Amino acid sequence: MAATFPNAKKTFSAIINGVTKLVAALFNTPDDEIEAIESFVGATGGGALAYTESMTNMLFNYRQNCRIQYKSDSDLYVRAGEIMLTDSSGNRRLRRNTSDLTVNWANIDTGSEAANTYYYVYAVADASTTTFTVKISTNAATPSGCTFYKLIGIFYNDSSSNIQEVGNLNRNAGELDNWVSKSPGVAHYAMTDGVVVGYGGYNIYITTNGANPPTITRQYNEVDSPQKTTMTCPVRKGDYWSTNCNPVWWIGKS
């Protein structure tokens, strides 16, 4: 009898007149199902089970895309992707979103929006579905009211209650985020490697290092005329940067 896994679950008993009974024709079909599971998963070829880790354990920290990205001062994207989410006991749920989510303050776990505050972004798998939802929280470890979740990113809500400094966690950041307009004359913290681009006239500069405010001038342009120019400076993740250019933009990695 042909195996039905993984398209269907094999029934090894029959119900006759309301009573569950074993059927002789099905006695040996578990072998077919085991072989089908092995074909589906793939044999490790590395010896006994004690010599290999389980597939779900290997996927414990799995995350493909699902990156957060700046959208506007009041919301952000969580891009489509797949992710393994767990509860406090280590139980696991695999979830996949085929389209991007827009996340705003309606997604906060408790309370309301606060200025000058870091927020943490979580993928959540509590609903009875195959997709994940998103919560934002001031709690860096546990979003309120959630059971299956994983921290995927962080952002800063500045003094004007504008979303800034978006950064991703638990993945290799490599793609550029969106351009963000920034305020001149103040210290900005870089959650990822990035680039500052400014525009100005007389004696424009960009400073950046690990101090807050930054103390080392990396770019300086002394001009004698009202003619304006553009200035660009790379910034290292974890450093602060500041400039007197106006306007000024920041682009980091997502």
Side-chain angles (χ1 to χ4, degrees):
M1 183 178 294
T4 59
F5 181 88
N7 296 316
K9 183 174 66 175
K10 176 70 73 176
T11 299
F12 296 106
S13 62
I15 299 177
I16 301 176
N17 295 327
V19 179
T20 299
K21 296 184 178 181
L22 296 176
V23 181
L26 297 174
F27 283 169
N28 292 323
T29 55
D31 295 336
D32 297 331
E33 296 302 306
I34 291 170
E35 290 175 0
I37 292 171
E38 184 180 42
S39 298
F40 178 71
V41 174
T44 62
L49 181 61
Y51 289 89
T52 186
E53 185 57 279
S54 72
M55 287 187 64
T56 54
N57 284 344
M58 291 292 291
L59 293 172
F60 193 82
N61 292 313
Y62 178 72
R63 176 183 174 188
Q64 179 64 31
N65 295 324
C66 307
R67 70 187 189 278
I68 69 170
Q69 192 173 40
Y70 174 87
K71 182 179 181 181
S72 74
D73 289 341
S74 59
D75 52 14
L76 50 83
Y77 292 114
V78 174
R79 298 299 189 182
E82 304 88 40
I83 191 168
M84 171 81 82
L85 303 174
T86 60
D87 66 6
S88 59
S89 299
N91 298 309
R92 300 146 201 178
R93 290 178 179 176
L94 282 165
R95 295 297 174 93
R96 177 173 182 250
N97 285 358
T98 57
S99 58
D100 300 338
L101 294 178
T102 295
V103 177
N104 54 40
W105 296 108
N107 297 91
I108 196 168
D109 61 345
T110 185
S112 56
E113 177 186 8
N116 295 315
T117 302
Y118 283 100
Y119 282 93
Y120 301 87
V121 183
Y122 294 89
V124 179
D126 288 347
S128 179
T129 183
T130 59
T131 58
F132 65 86
T133 58
V134 174
K135 288 291 183 182
I136 58 178
S137 175
T138 57
N139 193 311
T142 308
S144 178
C146 299
T147 302
F148 285 82
Y149 57 86
K150 180 170 290 182
L151 179 63
I152 60 174
I154 185 174
F155 67 89
Y156 183 67
N157 207 39
D158 67 12
S159 58
S160 300
S161 293
N162 293 330
I163 292 175
Q164 305 285 336
E165 315 294 352
V166 174
N168 281 270
L169 285 75
N170 300 328
R171 72 182 296 269
N172 295 320
E175 299 182 29
L176 289 177
D177 203 342
N178 294 326
W179 286 102
V180 183
S181 178
K182 308 292 280 188
S183 300
V186 297
H188 299 278
Y189 179 73
M191 288 189 179
T192 71
D193 296 332
V195 176
V196 179
V197 177
Y199 184 67
Y202 294 105
N203 301 328
I204 57 175
Y205 63 83
I206 298 175
T207 59
T208 179
N209 66 333
N212 181 17
T215 56
I216 299 179
T217 300
R218 308 290 183 181
Q219 292 278 359
Y220 182 75
N221 190 2
E222 183 177 0
V223 295
D224 303 342
S225 69
Q227 182 179 357
K228 292 188 175 182
T229 187
T230 299
M231 179 174 289
T232 301
C233 182
V235 177
R236 186 177 61 180
K237 176 183 177 181
D239 280 357
Y240 291 85
W241 63 269
S242 182
T243 180
N244 64 344
C245 295
N246 191 9
V248 60
W249 303 272
W250 162 263
I251 190 168
K253 293 182 178 181
S254 64

